[in-house]
Amino acid sequence: GAGDPGPPLGRELGRAAVPDFTLFWEFVAGPLKAGGFGANALDATFGPEAVFVAAPPRVNASPLEGSQFFGEVRIDGASEVMTVTLRDIDGRVLHAVELDAEQP
């Protein structure tokens, strides 16, 4: 949602309503310069798990109140590790996840 980094979502086959799919991660962040609000309820189709959530203290909080977030993705070419980092408006790391490349 706007101004809310939302949860990075992990998936688990055992919780999924539709069990035949490839597991994946979903990361939600931003946008900057918008009123913020909390995360919505998760749809159970793919068995989501909210791994990390940061949200402003109230709905439609101004960006000037400090609850603005953005995401950063880096992929190391040598190791093929993808690092997804959620940061606050000052660039401080709130949460980071490292994911190895899927091997064929």
Side-chain angles (χ1 to χ4, degrees), residues 51-87:
V51 177
F52 176 81
V53 177
R58 62 183 178 76
V59 173
N60 215 16
S62 165
L64 297 176
E65 295 177 47
S67 292
Q68 292 289 288
F69 311 99
F70 64 95
E72 173 184 85
V73 177
R74 292 179 184 245
I75 300 174
D76 182 284
S79 69
E80 297 184 340
V81 171
M82 179 174 75
T83 303
V84 179
T85 305
L86 294 171
R87 297 179 179 271

Side-chain angles (χ1 to χ4, degrees), residues 7 30 36 39 51 55 72 89 102-103:
V51 177
E72 173 184 85
I89 195 67
E102 184 174 314
Q103 300 302 314

